[in-house]
Amino acid sequence: MNSFVRRIEETDVTETVIGSRPQADGGTAQAPMLFEAADFSVRTGQTPILERVTLSIRKGEVLGIVGESGAGKSTLGKCIARALPRQFTTAGRLDVFGEDIGQMPASRHRALMGDRIAFVPQEPTSALNPVRRIGSLFGEHLTRLGVPKAEQQARMVAALSEVMLPDPEAVLNRYAFQLSGGMNQRIMIAMAFASRPDLVISDEATTALDMITQERTIVTLNDMRARYGCGVLFITHDLRLAGHFCDRVAVLRNGVVVEEGPAAQVLEAPQHPYSQGLKAATPRLDGPPHPLAAPSPKLRIPAQPAPIMAARGLAVRYGDPKSAGGQVEIMRDVDLQVEVAEFVGLIGRSGSGKSTIARILAGLQQPTEGDILLDGRVLGNSASDWQDRIASAQMVFQDPSSALNPRRRVWDIVTQAMVARGERLKSDRRRRAAELLADVGLDERLLDAYPRQMSGGQRQRVNIARALCVMPRLLIADEIVSGLDVSVQAQVIYLLLELRQRHDIALLMVSHDLSVLRQLCDRVVVMDQGAIVEAGPTQQVLDAPQHEATRALIAAAPPDDLSKTWPRGTEWDSNDKTPE
Amino acid sequence: MTDWTEVLRDWRVGLGGLLLLVLMGVALAAPWLAPHDPNAQDLLWVLLPPSWAPGGDPAYLLGTDTLGRDVLSRLIWATRSAAYVAVLSTIGAAVLGITLALIAGYAGGVLDWIIMRAVELLLSFPAVVFALVLIAALGPGLENVIIAVIAVDWTRFARVLRSEVRQIKGRDYVAAARLMGATPLQVVLQDVLPNIMPSILMLVSLEMGGAVVAETIISFVSASAEADVPTWGVIIADGLSDIYATPAPVIAAVSSIVVFVLATILFSDGLRRRTDPRQIERRGAAA
């Protein structure tokens, strides 16, 4: 186990807060206070969710709340919205505009919500009613704000122009599902700012978006804040993002604010051991490969490259070429190969076809054209080819909570493959399961646990252990670290590298996180709109990108250096046109 | 994992389950519980009111009907008929419906098309009329009522469960099981079936109530069992002509039906609330 991970886990919850209290901060003391939590606690039964949290936001200020899952980040936003489940109890004060949220009458609270306090949600597409046009949803919001019907159209067009949506009139006539996630998020921002709110609460507003869309959303948010001078409560798990966008940052751990202060200070030179651990666990964009990532000796030996698995001329098309809509081309001319013990990263924007390649290689999807080769032999549809394939290449799925059957116990999940081979004896299976758990660094006591009883990181390890049961030579991993907290992410990276040293495993890793690929992969392959546009050694591709799509991906990631300007500005690419 | 002690603690599950247990107990113990032969006629004592009403006889707790038969005994034996129909037709409809739902939902393609068109065909025709036609063809008898109810009600299981099977088929753990080399049968039995269990339980308990209602309707129009088998529908039909003289038989039979159906609804509603993950999340702790 890495030392910094252990440090995070062993940090004492009760340690004192380091950093300046907002009261002591003189810089913005004149600006009016928008939001103030004073010794604010939330608990459910005996379990504390937030413990004596003291925070504040003044006008024009962005306060970032960072922390890992379960730290209580979202609870603060929920308290302001008064959306806490019933069994939660609160103590202390939580003021907005100098009034205690807990004490104000429901009607007063309703009047503030959506007017002086606005929310930007995590999943913009599910926040917009899919059966109503954007114009109708926006119009309803304006009616509520008291804008007369006659002025609404002009107001909506102006608002959508402000968030830099091309062709606002056309957007108003669309449904949410016809627009991209990034466009929907900008619509949510436009709606949030329609009331000229004084306080905006953004809960992981960019987490569901890809890097390029994330950058654009942050640009928009930043722009609107500068224009209207509101305060922003910015909840995120991404330290770099918080560092670039926030003025002040509070690090939350198990409901306790362990450190709070100016963003640059907290993130560049954290004082508290937990924040230091978080910083250490965050992979750097320009950093060296992981200490364990030295290429396996095996990789260098063969003079002739010996790919385990290769794709040749893959194309995927949907629809009937003779029908009116014609065919939709998802992917074309994809050639890809993974050598023995090689770690290959596959990057690209969402919708570029990365996951489709992973599924095709694993055998879960058939390409319209092209072949998959295993050890140089074309795989057909026969049962024996399928057996060869699943014995050599295994897939690790993105979301462990969906990839693990909730009604099976851990030992049963990780040894599924033995049942298929006819090894049904429970004692044998349990013995093998114990070995596999040891391989992925899990305690044997978890053998009889159900997936629901484990943490996200533990589940992802079980997910990996299952793929290892057949001792495959290639692991195909679809975004397996992107949903994880940084500390857990560091554990999984370590585990994968360790597996390579021990078992000479090869990896094809689909990810949008450049910093993770940089640490982990020997080679990266860049996809854009269904085609491979660039491939090469990791350092070379990331440091000197040749293709425009690669450059855009790299530029969109918030840099490690907080003094660098990010986001850079407002340039939109061709993907963002309003659909016909 | 569903915590079954937590499920049993739900008042709906508890009360519904208790009522169902009592009704099943009455059905099983009918020969010992009933004070009289349910078909024994005593023409000297016809249309007796309940024993507590003026003119009542303590030997006939709920009075007698037009033919002087003991209402209480007939009610108890009718419970037995109802339970018989409810249990057997539910098992039959569930087994048939679940099997076809698994085939249609997991295999997809032509099989799915055929099974779902059959479901729609059956649903597009009034269920009770279809059952009556079947019984007219098969002849009277509780067994034939059961066959008719199964023939109609398997569609409910098939339609609801098929869409759930399709949903689960799309989960990554099904894809993972396939990559582990599991055969379709293994996937269905180990990964799909356990995950539709809450819905199956809910449908089964609803189906018991539905089967009793269907049987009542069929026997009300005297198309159900042989003449010597008392059922709630027959008691209502017989009591209707003298409802102004002695309403007791009709009231007793109707209440029995209501209690039975209510018990199944309470039970299934409670099960749904306790096992549906969305409902659990709504009440449970949020992070």
Side-chain angles (χ1 to χ4, degrees), chain A residues 412-475:
Chain A
D412 188 20
I413 291 173
V414 295
T415 55
Q416 262 173 295
M418 295 177 71
V419 182
R421 288 197 307 244
E423 298 169 52
R424 291 164 183 278
L425 203 61
K426 191 174 166 185
S427 55
D428 287 352
R429 290 180 65 193
R430 284 185 70 95
R431 200 174 316 123
R432 178 77 179 119
E435 287 171 21
L436 287 167
L437 290 199
D439 245 1
V440 296
L442 281 179
D443 197 298
E444 207 174 303
R445 278 173 298 189
L446 286 171
L447 277 178
D448 287 310
Y450 285 102
R452 199 177 294 175
Q453 297 165 328
M454 296 186 294
S455 72
Q458 289 174 329
R459 274 184 250 173
Q460 194 59 286
R461 284 159 185 250
V462 170
N463 204 7
I464 295 171
R466 169 174 59 188
L468 292 176
C469 181
V470 294
M471 294 296 283
R473 290 174 296 150
L474 170 64
L475 277 184

Side-chain angles (χ1 to χ4, degrees), chain A residues 44 49 70 72 74-75 78 85 87-88 359 362-364 386-387 390 393-395 397-399 401-408 416-417 419-420 424 450 452 466-467 469-470, chain B residues 1-4 168-183 186-187 189-198 275 277 280-287:
Chain A
T44 164
I49 307 294
S74 297
T75 307
K78 283 191 183 135
Q87 67 271 34
F88 283 56
R359 293 182 69 86
L364 292 171
W386 174 254
Q387 291 302 332
I390 61 177
Q394 276 295 335
M395 179 142 174
F397 292 85
Q398 172 171 12
D399 177 6
S401 52
S402 147
L404 304 179
N405 184 342
R407 298 192 178 257
R408 287 193 188 215
Q416 262 173 295
V419 182
R424 291 164 183 278
Y450 285 102
R452 199 177 294 175
R466 169 174 59 188
C469 181
V470 294
Chain B
M1 198 58 222
T2 315
D3 181 357
W4 291 106
I168 286 166
K169 191 190 170 189
R171 299 267 164 83
D172 284 343
Y173 58 76
V174 168
R178 282 174 54 210
L179 287 181
M180 293 299 144
T183 60
Q186 283 172 333
V187 174
L189 291 183
Q190 291 167 3
D191 294 296
V192 180
L193 196 58
N195 283 295
I196 58 172
M197 227 40 209
T275 55
I280 294 172
E281 257 165 46
R282 205 167 301 155
R283 288 172 311 142

Side-chain angles (χ1 to χ4, degrees), chain A residues 319-361:
Chain A
D320 184 356
K322 280 167 267 171
S323 73
Q327 274 189 323
V328 184
E329 190 173 58
I330 304 295
M331 186 186 296
R332 61 182 181 278
D333 290 338
V334 166
D335 292 302
L336 188 73
Q337 62 182 46
V338 184
E339 314 263 334
V340 174
E342 186 186 31
F343 277 22
V344 178
L346 192 55
I347 55 174
R349 294 193 59 176
S350 51
S352 60
K354 311 184 296 272
S355 295
T356 311
I357 291 190
R359 293 182 69 86
I360 289 175
L361 286 176

Side-chain angles (χ1 to χ4, degrees), chain A residues 240-297:
Chain A
R240 266 197 297 263
L241 185 61
H244 282 281
F245 180 54
C246 303
D247 302 314
R248 310 173 57 79
V249 166
V251 181
L252 209 56
R253 179 183 191 246
N254 293 345
V256 181
V257 176
V258 295
E259 186 160 358
E260 198 256 334
Q265 181 194 314
V266 172
L267 298 175
E268 295 272 346
Q271 300 296 305
H272 192 278
Y274 178 69
S275 335
Q276 288 168 351
L278 274 186
K279 180 178 158 64
T282 306
R284 290 179 65 84
L285 271 172
D286 53 6
H290 196 281
L292 270 181
S296 152

Side-chain angles (χ1 to χ4, degrees), chain B residues 49-69:
Chain B
S51 58
W52 60 86
D57 185 328
Y60 300 103
L61 195 62
L62 289 177
T64 58
D65 66 3
T66 339
L67 297 173
R69 292 175 295 192

Side-chain angles (χ1 to χ4, degrees), chain A residues 39-53:
Chain A
D39 276 340
F40 184 67
S41 303
V42 176
R43 41 180 63 237
T44 164
Q46 283 309 302
T47 321
I49 307 294
L50 287 179
E51 277 280 281
R52 300 175 72 87
V53 166

